[in-house]
Amino acid sequence: FFLLAVGAYLFSLTITKYIAIFRLVTICAGCGGVFVLVRYLYTTFTYRVVPRTEGDIHVLPSEDIDLRVERRVGSRPSYSECVMSLGCLVDIREMLPDTAELLRREYKSPKFYYYTMALRPAAGSRLVLVFEERGEVSCIVIEPDEKMKHFLMSRLSPTGRSL
């Protein structure tokens, strides 16, 4: 994006006939470059499993455990972006190119939330967690490590589906 912005600006200096168009391309490309930098380079997400009550998370029922997604941009303090009870977890799927469309057909108009860091993630690195609460379906896309993935799979409700 930045190379496109610089190239369009330099090109606008040599050709004055279309200077407004080249300057517009310069501004749009520069803004796109800043967005990509902030979103994918300076933003980090932390996934935490937090008990609501005192106790070991491996013993507590799923209803007493929350999945918390915290977001941090640059040097700013992190803040909770999402908090969901694992008791509402009904499905876990690996995020593939057609997964979103399949979930839209299977569940009636779910809302998707992407808490991922990679611009082009490796195959099998992203999971879609499907939560159903008060009749609303939310699909949360995360990039957990193997330990977190195993824990979430063990907390899937008996009626839920996975991968």
Side-chain angles (χ1 to χ4, degrees):
F1 283 109
F2 290 121
L3 290 176
L4 177 63
V6 170
Y9 178 73
L10 292 176
F11 204 72
S12 72
L13 294 176
T14 60
I15 299 178
T16 57
K17 185 175 183 182
Y18 300 109
I19 193 167
I21 293 173
F22 289 121
R23 296 271 167 94
L24 183 64
V25 169
T26 301
I27 292 170
C28 291
C31 290
V34 169
F35 170 77
V36 168
L37 274 177
V38 170
R39 173 60 178 90
Y40 294 104
L41 189 61
Y42 298 132
T43 302
T44 58
F45 291 102
T46 305
Y47 316 113
R48 295 179 190 227
V49 178
V50 181
R52 288 185 185 175
T53 60
E54 294 295 320
D56 183 17
I57 61 170
H58 299 287
V59 179
L60 288 172
S62 294
E63 292 77 22
D64 292 337
I65 302 172
D66 289 335
L67 171 69
R68 181 175 294 160
V69 179
E70 295 176 355
R71 179 183 196 155
R72 182 179 183 150
V73 179
S75 61
R76 294 181 186 167
S78 63
Y79 57 92
S80 290
E81 183 86 15
C82 171
V83 178
M84 295 295 291
S85 170
L86 290 184
C88 300
L89 183 63
V90 295
D91 197 355
I92 298 177
R93 305 236 179 131
E94 192 173 311
M95 186 65 174
L96 301 171
D98 61 342
T99 303
E101 186 60 37
L102 291 172
L103 288 171
R104 282 188 182 98
R105 277 191 241 136
E106 193 169 329
Y107 299 98
K108 295 177 180 146
S109 63
K111 293 180 183 174
F112 281 83
Y113 301 95
Y114 292 85
Y115 300 116
T116 58
M117 295 171 278
L119 190 57
R120 292 189 170 269
S125 66
R126 295 189 302 171
L127 287 182
V128 180
L129 308 176
V130 181
F131 293 90
E132 188 169 3
E133 188 174 26
R134 290 176 262 162
E136 291 187 24
V137 177
S138 300
C139 298
I140 297 174
V141 182
I142 63 172
E143 295 171 323
D145 59 4
E146 286 300 318
K147 187 176 177 182
M148 174 74 85
K149 190 184 289 190
H150 179 71
F151 179 80
L152 291 171
M153 295 298 246
S154 70
R155 289 303 175 152
L156 189 61
S157 68
T159 59
R161 298 172 296 275
S162 69
L163 299 176

